[in-house]
Amino acid sequence: METDIDVIMDRLSPYLDRIDAILRHGHATYERYAPEIVLDHDASTQAHCTFRHTLAEAHRILDDLPNVRHMEIRGQNLWLIEAANSVIRFKKTDEDGVSSNYPTPQAVAFDEGEELPGLTPKPTRLTAGYLLDATGTGFMRSQISLPTNKGAMWCAAIVPFESRAADEAAWYEVTRQRRF
């Protein structure tokens, strides 16, 4: 399984604008909910509603692409991007790219790189996530991370297409330095 951020993100480059659009769509759709409805939502409900819109948009955008295959494995919706030998899942994440929901056995198995039925050779497992601001309402960025059983090995922010200069890369590393 490849773990080098440069190699993985270069392989994913043709898909980054689509992944960014999917994540932004999920949040933007939730933002259009009526205030009297949102008032009753806690952070978990907000994340679930956003995820459902993200998931629907992922199906619309990714399912018909060549060399991209949707799979539901152990209750997880995953997309295998064959050209990148990577499988991605969509999640709300923190600034390190770590999923903030309850670690189900399926999520733990994914993060630990356990074998996934029907996937060979062993693809790199990635989380495509979105980061909200401290209020939990403002969209800060879309990001890709390599999850591990101890957090994320690395995290890369996607630079939105409309915000990029012609010669600018579609991503940059945002992995925080850890103290040992």
Coordinates of all heavy atoms in Angstrom, one line a residue, residues 59-125:
H59 N -22.3 9.8 -5.7 CA -22.9 8.9 -6.7 C -23.1 9.6 -8.0 O -22.8 9.0 -9.1 CB -24.2 8.3 -6.1 CG -24.0 7.2 -5.1 ND1 -23.5 6.0 -5.5 CD2 -24.4 7.2 -3.8 CE1 -23.4 5.3 -4.4 NE2 -24.0 5.9 -3.4
R60 N -23.6 10.8 -8.0 CA -23.9 11.5 -9.2 C -22.6 11.8 -10.0 O -22.6 11.7 -11.2 CB -24.6 12.8 -9.0 CG -26.1 12.7 -8.7 CD -26.9 14.0 -8.6 NE -26.5 14.8 -7.4 CZ -27.2 14.7 -6.3 NH1 -28.2 13.8 -6.1 NH2 -26.8 15.4 -5.2
I61 N -21.6 12.2 -9.3 CA -20.3 12.6 -10.0 C -19.4 11.5 -10.3 O -18.8 11.4 -11.4 CB -19.6 13.7 -9.1 CG1 -20.4 15.0 -9.2 CG2 -18.2 13.9 -9.6 CD1 -19.9 16.1 -8.3
L62 N -19.2 10.5 -9.4 CA -18.2 9.5 -9.6 C -18.6 8.2 -10.2 O -17.8 7.5 -10.8 CB -17.6 9.2 -8.2 CG -16.9 10.4 -7.5 CD1 -16.4 9.9 -6.1 CD2 -15.7 10.9 -8.3
D63 N -19.9 7.8 -10.0 CA -20.3 6.5 -10.4 C -20.1 6.2 -11.9 O -19.9 5.0 -12.2 CB -21.7 6.2 -10.0 CG -21.9 6.0 -8.5 OD1 -20.8 6.0 -7.8 OD2 -23.0 5.7 -8.0
D64 N -20.2 7.1 -12.8 CA -20.1 6.9 -14.2 C -18.7 7.1 -14.8 O -18.6 7.0 -16.0 CB -21.2 7.6 -15.0 CG -22.6 7.1 -14.6 OD1 -22.8 5.9 -14.3 OD2 -23.5 8.0 -14.7
L65 N -17.8 7.5 -13.9 CA -16.4 7.8 -14.4 C -15.7 6.5 -14.7 O -15.9 5.5 -14.0 CB -15.6 8.5 -13.4 CG -16.0 10.0 -13.1 CD1 -15.1 10.6 -12.0 CD2 -16.0 10.8 -14.4
P66 N -14.9 6.4 -15.8 CA -14.2 5.2 -16.1 C -13.1 5.0 -15.0 O -12.6 5.9 -14.4 CB -13.5 5.5 -17.4 CG -13.6 7.0 -17.6 CD -14.7 7.5 -16.8
N67 N -12.9 3.7 -14.7 CA -11.9 3.3 -13.7 C -12.2 3.8 -12.3 O -11.3 3.9 -11.4 CB -10.5 3.7 -14.1 CG -10.2 3.2 -15.4 OD1 -10.4 2.0 -15.7 ND2 -9.6 4.0 -16.3
V68 N -13.5 4.1 -12.0 CA -13.9 4.5 -10.7 C -15.1 3.6 -10.3 O -16.0 3.4 -11.1 CB -14.4 6.0 -10.5 CG1 -14.9 6.2 -9.1 CG2 -13.2 6.9 -10.9
R69 N -15.0 2.9 -9.2 CA -16.1 1.9 -8.9 C -16.6 2.1 -7.5 O -15.8 2.2 -6.5 CB -15.4 0.5 -9.0 CG -16.4 -0.6 -8.8 CD -15.8 -2.0 -9.2 NE -14.4 -2.1 -8.9 CZ -13.9 -3.1 -8.2 NH1 -14.7 -4.1 -7.7 NH2 -12.6 -3.2 -7.9
H70 N -17.9 2.3 -7.3 CA -18.5 2.4 -6.0 C -18.6 1.0 -5.4 O -19.0 0.1 -6.1 CB -19.9 3.1 -6.0 CG -20.6 3.0 -4.7 ND1 -21.6 2.1 -4.5 CD2 -20.4 3.8 -3.6 CE1 -22.0 2.3 -3.2 NE2 -21.3 3.3 -2.7
M71 N -18.4 0.9 -4.1 CA -18.5 -0.4 -3.4 C -19.1 -0.1 -2.0 O -18.7 1.0 -1.4 CB -17.2 -1.1 -3.3 CG -16.4 -1.2 -4.6 SD -14.7 -1.8 -4.2 CE -15.0 -3.5 -4.3
E72 N -20.0 -0.9 -1.6 CA -20.4 -0.8 -0.2 C -19.8 -2.1 0.5 O -20.2 -3.2 0.2 CB -21.9 -0.8 -0.1 CG -22.3 -0.5 1.3 CD -23.8 -0.2 1.5 OE1 -24.4 0.3 0.5 OE2 -24.3 -0.4 2.5
I73 N -18.9 -1.8 1.4 CA -18.2 -2.9 2.0 C -18.3 -2.7 3.5 O -18.0 -1.7 4.1 CB -16.7 -3.0 1.7 CG1 -16.5 -3.2 0.1 CG2 -16.0 -4.0 2.4 CD1 -15.1 -3.1 -0.3
R74 N -18.9 -3.7 4.2 CA -19.0 -3.6 5.7 C -19.8 -2.4 6.1 O -19.4 -1.7 7.1 CB -17.7 -3.7 6.4 CG -16.9 -5.0 6.1 CD -15.6 -4.9 6.8 NE -14.8 -6.1 6.5 CZ -13.5 -6.1 6.6 NH1 -12.8 -5.1 6.9 NH2 -12.8 -7.2 6.3
G75 N -20.8 -2.0 5.3 CA -21.6 -0.8 5.7 C -21.0 0.5 5.3 O -21.6 1.5 5.6
Q76 N -19.8 0.5 4.7 CA -19.2 1.8 4.3 C -19.3 2.0 2.8 O -19.1 1.0 2.0 CB -17.7 1.7 4.6 CG -17.4 1.7 6.1 CD -15.9 1.7 6.3 OE1 -15.4 2.8 6.5 NE2 -15.2 0.6 6.2
N77 N -19.6 3.2 2.4 CA -19.6 3.6 1.0 C -18.2 4.0 0.6 O -17.7 5.0 1.2 CB -20.6 4.7 0.7 CG -22.0 4.2 0.7 OD1 -22.5 3.7 -0.2 ND2 -22.7 4.4 1.9
L78 N -17.6 3.3 -0.3 CA -16.3 3.5 -0.8 C -16.2 3.7 -2.3 O -17.0 3.0 -3.0 CB -15.4 2.4 -0.3 CG -15.4 2.0 1.1 CD1 -14.6 0.7 1.4 CD2 -14.9 3.1 2.0
W79 N -15.3 4.4 -2.7 CA -15.0 4.6 -4.2 C -13.6 4.2 -4.4 O -12.7 4.8 -3.9 CB -15.3 6.0 -4.7 CG -16.7 6.2 -4.9 CD1 -17.4 6.1 -6.1 CD2 -17.7 6.6 -4.0 NE1 -18.7 6.4 -5.9 CE2 -19.0 6.7 -4.6 CE3 -17.7 6.8 -2.6 CZ2 -20.1 7.0 -4.0 CZ3 -18.9 7.2 -1.9 CH2 -20.1 7.3 -2.6
L80 N -13.4 3.1 -5.3 CA -12.1 2.7 -5.7 C -11.8 3.5 -6.9 O -12.5 3.5 -7.9 CB -12.1 1.2 -6.0 CG -10.9 0.6 -6.6 CD1 -9.7 0.7 -5.6 CD2 -11.1 -0.8 -7.1
I81 N -10.7 4.2 -6.9 CA -10.2 5.0 -8.0 C -9.0 4.2 -8.5 O -7.9 4.2 -7.9 CB -9.8 6.4 -7.6 CG1 -11.0 7.1 -7.1 CG2 -9.2 7.2 -8.8 CD1 -10.7 8.5 -6.6
E82 N -9.2 3.4 -9.5 CA -8.2 2.4 -10.0 C -6.9 3.0 -10.4 O -5.9 2.5 -10.1 CB -8.9 1.5 -11.0 CG -10.0 0.6 -10.5 CD -10.8 -0.2 -11.5 OE1 -10.6 0.1 -12.8 OE2 -11.6 -1.0 -11.2
A83 N -7.0 4.1 -11.2 CA -5.8 4.8 -11.7 C -4.9 5.2 -10.6 O -3.7 5.3 -10.7 CB -6.2 5.9 -12.6
A84 N -5.4 5.5 -9.4 CA -4.6 5.9 -8.2 C -4.4 4.8 -7.2 O -3.7 5.0 -6.2 CB -5.4 7.1 -7.5
N85 N -5.0 3.6 -7.5 CA -4.9 2.5 -6.6 C -5.3 2.9 -5.2 O -4.6 2.6 -4.2 CB -3.6 1.7 -6.6 CG -3.7 0.4 -5.9 OD1 -4.7 -0.2 -5.9 ND2 -2.6 0.0 -5.3
S86 N -6.4 3.7 -5.1 CA -6.8 4.3 -3.8 C -8.3 4.0 -3.7 O -9.1 4.1 -4.7 CB -6.5 5.8 -3.8 OG -5.2 6.0 -3.8
V87 N -8.7 3.9 -2.5 CA -10.1 3.8 -2.1 C -10.4 4.9 -1.2 O -9.7 5.1 -0.2 CB -10.5 2.4 -1.6 CG1 -9.8 2.0 -0.3 CG2 -12.0 2.2 -1.5
I88 N -11.5 5.7 -1.4 CA -11.8 6.8 -0.6 C -13.2 6.6 0.0 O -14.1 6.0 -0.5 CB -11.7 8.1 -1.4 CG1 -12.8 8.2 -2.5 CG2 -10.4 8.4 -1.9 CD1 -13.0 9.5 -3.1
R89 N -13.3 7.3 1.2 CA -14.6 7.4 1.9 C -14.7 8.9 2.2 O -13.8 9.6 2.3 CB -14.6 6.6 3.1 CG -13.6 7.1 4.2 CD -13.6 6.3 5.4 NE -12.5 6.8 6.3 CZ -12.3 6.3 7.5 NH1 -13.0 5.3 8.0 NH2 -11.3 6.8 8.2
F90 N -16.0 9.3 2.3 CA -16.3 10.7 2.6 C -16.7 10.9 4.1 O -17.5 10.1 4.6 CB -17.4 11.2 1.7 CG -16.9 11.4 0.3 CD1 -17.1 10.3 -0.6 CD2 -16.3 12.5 -0.2 CE1 -16.7 10.4 -1.9 CE2 -15.9 12.6 -1.5 CZ -16.1 11.6 -2.4
K91 N -16.1 11.9 4.8 CA -16.3 12.1 6.2 C -16.2 13.5 6.6 O -15.4 14.3 5.9 CB -15.3 11.3 7.0 CG -15.4 9.8 6.9 CD -16.6 9.3 7.7 CE -16.6 7.8 7.8 NZ -17.8 7.3 8.5
K92 N -16.8 13.9 7.7 CA -16.4 15.2 8.3 C -15.1 14.9 9.1 O -15.0 13.9 9.8 CB -17.5 15.6 9.3 CG -17.2 16.9 10.1 CD -18.3 17.2 11.1 CE -17.9 18.4 11.9 NZ -18.8 18.7 13.0
T93 N -14.2 15.8 9.0 CA -12.9 15.6 9.6 C -12.4 16.8 10.4 O -12.9 17.9 10.2 CB -11.8 15.2 8.5 OG1 -11.8 16.2 7.5 CG2 -12.1 13.9 7.9
D94 N -11.4 16.6 11.2 CA -10.8 17.7 12.0 C -9.7 18.2 11.1 O -9.4 17.8 10.0 CB -10.4 17.3 13.4 CG -9.3 16.3 13.4 OD1 -8.6 16.0 12.4 OD2 -9.1 15.7 14.5
E95 N -8.9 19.2 11.7 CA -7.8 19.8 11.0 C -6.7 18.9 10.6 O -5.9 19.2 9.7 CB -7.3 21.1 11.7 CG -6.6 20.7 13.0 CD -6.1 22.0 13.7 OE1 -5.4 22.8 13.1 OE2 -6.5 22.1 14.9
D96 N -6.6 17.8 11.3 CA -5.6 16.8 10.9 C -6.1 15.7 9.9 O -5.4 14.8 9.6 CB -5.2 16.0 12.2 CG -4.5 17.0 13.2 OD1 -3.7 17.8 12.7 OD2 -4.8 16.9 14.4
G97 N -7.4 15.8 9.5 CA -7.9 14.9 8.6 C -8.5 13.6 9.2 O -8.8 12.6 8.6
V98 N -8.7 13.7 10.5 CA -9.2 12.5 11.3 C -10.7 12.7 11.3 O -11.3 13.7 11.7 CB -8.6 12.5 12.7 CG1 -9.2 11.3 13.5 CG2 -7.1 12.3 12.6
S99 N -11.4 11.6 11.0 CA -12.8 11.5 11.1 C -13.3 11.7 12.6 O -12.7 11.2 13.5 CB -13.3 10.1 10.6 OG -14.7 10.0 10.9
S100 N -14.3 12.5 12.8 CA -14.7 12.9 14.1 C -15.9 12.1 14.7 O -16.4 12.4 15.7 CB -15.0 14.4 14.2 OG -16.0 14.7 13.3
N101 N -16.3 11.0 13.9 CA -17.4 10.3 14.4 C -17.0 9.1 15.3 O -15.8 8.8 15.4 CB -18.3 9.8 13.3 CG -17.6 9.0 12.3 OD1 -16.4 9.0 12.2 ND2 -18.3 8.2 11.5
Y102 N -18.0 8.4 15.8 CA -17.7 7.2 16.6 C -17.0 6.2 15.8 O -17.4 5.8 14.7 CB -19.0 6.6 17.2 CG -18.8 5.4 18.0 CD1 -18.4 5.5 19.3 CD2 -19.1 4.1 17.4 CE1 -18.2 4.4 20.1 CE2 -18.9 3.0 18.2 CZ -18.4 3.1 19.5 OH -18.2 2.0 20.3
P103 N -15.9 5.6 16.3 CA -15.1 4.6 15.6 C -15.8 3.2 15.5 O -15.6 2.4 16.4 CB -13.8 4.6 16.3 CG -14.1 5.0 17.7 CD -15.3 5.9 17.6
T104 N -16.6 3.0 14.5 CA -17.3 1.7 14.4 C -16.2 0.7 14.0 O -15.1 1.0 13.5 CB -18.3 1.8 13.2 OG1 -17.7 2.0 12.0 CG2 -19.4 2.8 13.5
P105 N -16.5 -0.6 14.2 CA -15.6 -1.6 13.8 C -15.2 -1.5 12.3 O -14.0 -1.7 12.0 CB -16.4 -2.9 14.1 CG -17.3 -2.6 15.1 CD -17.7 -1.2 14.9
Q106 N -16.1 -1.1 11.5 CA -15.8 -1.0 10.0 C -14.8 0.2 9.8 O -13.9 0.1 9.0 CB -17.1 -0.7 9.2 CG -18.1 -1.8 9.3 CD -19.1 -1.6 10.4 OE1 -18.8 -1.0 11.5 NE2 -20.3 -2.1 10.3
A107 N -15.0 1.3 10.5 CA -14.2 2.4 10.4 C -12.8 2.1 10.9 O -11.7 2.5 10.3 CB -14.7 3.7 11.1
V108 N -12.7 1.4 12.0 CA -11.4 1.0 12.6 C -10.7 0.1 11.6 O -9.5 0.2 11.3 CB -11.6 0.4 14.0 CG1 -10.3 -0.3 14.4 CG2 -12.1 1.4 15.0
A109 N -11.4 -0.9 11.0 CA -10.8 -1.8 10.1 C -10.2 -1.0 8.8 O -9.1 -1.3 8.4 CB -11.8 -2.8 9.6
F110 N -11.0 0.0 8.4 CA -10.6 0.8 7.3 C -9.3 1.5 7.6 O -8.3 1.5 6.9 CB -11.7 1.8 6.9 CG -11.4 2.6 5.7 CD1 -11.8 2.2 4.4 CD2 -10.7 3.8 5.7 CE1 -11.5 2.9 3.3 CE2 -10.5 4.6 4.6 CZ -10.9 4.1 3.4
D111 N -9.3 2.2 8.8 CA -8.2 3.0 9.2 C -6.9 2.2 9.5 O -5.8 2.6 9.2 CB -8.5 3.8 10.5 CG -9.5 4.9 10.3 OD1 -9.8 5.2 9.2 OD2 -10.0 5.4 11.3
E112 N -7.1 0.9 9.9 CA -5.9 0.1 10.2 C -5.4 -0.6 8.9 O -4.5 -1.4 9.0 CB -6.3 -1.0 11.3 CG -6.5 -0.3 12.6 CD -6.9 -1.3 13.7 OE1 -7.2 -2.4 13.4 OE2 -6.8 -0.9 14.9
G113 N -6.1 -0.4 7.8 CA -5.6 -1.0 6.5 C -5.9 -2.5 6.4 O -5.3 -3.1 5.6
E114 N -6.9 -2.9 7.1 CA -7.3 -4.4 7.0 C -7.8 -4.6 5.6 O -8.3 -3.8 4.9 CB -8.4 -4.7 8.0 CG -7.9 -4.8 9.4 CD -9.0 -5.3 10.4 OE1 -10.0 -5.8 9.9 OE2 -8.8 -5.0 11.6
E115 N -7.6 -5.9 5.2 CA -8.1 -6.3 3.8 C -9.5 -6.0 3.7 O -10.4 -6.3 4.6 CB -7.8 -7.8 3.6 CG -8.0 -8.2 2.2 CD -7.6 -9.7 2.0 OE1 -6.6 -10.1 2.6 OE2 -8.3 -10.3 1.2
L116 N -9.9 -5.5 2.5 CA -11.3 -5.2 2.2 C -11.7 -6.2 1.1 O -11.0 -6.3 0.1 CB -11.5 -3.8 1.7 CG -11.2 -2.7 2.7 CD1 -11.2 -1.3 2.0 CD2 -12.2 -2.7 3.8
P117 N -12.8 -7.0 1.3 CA -13.2 -8.0 0.4 C -13.4 -7.4 -1.0 O -14.0 -6.4 -1.2 CB -14.5 -8.5 0.9 CG -14.6 -8.1 2.4 CD -13.7 -6.9 2.5
G118 N -12.8 -8.1 -2.0 CA -13.0 -7.7 -3.4 C -12.0 -6.6 -3.9 O -12.2 -6.2 -5.0
L119 N -11.1 -6.3 -3.1 CA -10.1 -5.2 -3.5 C -8.7 -5.8 -3.5 O -8.1 -6.1 -2.5 CB -10.2 -4.0 -2.6 CG -11.4 -3.2 -2.6 CD1 -11.3 -2.1 -1.6 CD2 -11.7 -2.6 -3.9
T120 N -8.2 -5.9 -4.8 CA -6.8 -6.3 -4.9 C -6.3 -5.6 -6.1 O -7.0 -5.3 -7.1 CB -6.6 -7.8 -5.2 OG1 -7.4 -8.2 -6.3 CG2 -7.0 -8.6 -3.9
P121 N -5.0 -5.2 -6.2 CA -4.1 -5.2 -5.1 C -4.5 -4.3 -4.0 O -5.4 -3.4 -4.2 CB -2.7 -4.8 -5.7 CG -3.1 -3.9 -6.9 CD -4.4 -4.5 -7.4
K122 N -3.9 -4.4 -2.9 CA -4.3 -3.6 -1.7 C -4.2 -2.1 -2.0 O -3.1 -1.5 -2.1 CB -3.4 -4.0 -0.6 CG -3.9 -3.5 0.8 CD -3.0 -4.0 1.9 CE -3.5 -3.6 3.2 NZ -2.7 -4.1 4.3
P123 N -5.4 -1.4 -2.1 CA -5.3 0.0 -2.4 C -5.1 0.8 -1.2 O -5.3 0.4 0.0 CB -6.8 0.3 -2.9 CG -7.6 -0.8 -2.3 CD -6.7 -2.0 -2.1
T124 N -4.6 2.0 -1.4 CA -4.4 3.0 -0.3 C -5.8 3.4 0.2 O -6.6 3.8 -0.6 CB -3.5 4.2 -0.7 OG1 -2.3 3.7 -1.2 CG2 -3.3 5.1 0.4
R125 N -6.0 3.4 1.5 CA -7.3 3.9 2.0 C -7.1 5.4 2.4 O -6.2 5.8 3.1 CB -7.6 3.1 3.3 CG -8.1 1.7 3.0 CD -7.3 0.7 3.9 NE -7.8 -0.6 3.7 CZ -7.3 -1.4 2.8 NH1 -6.4 -1.0 2.0 NH2 -7.7 -2.6 2.7

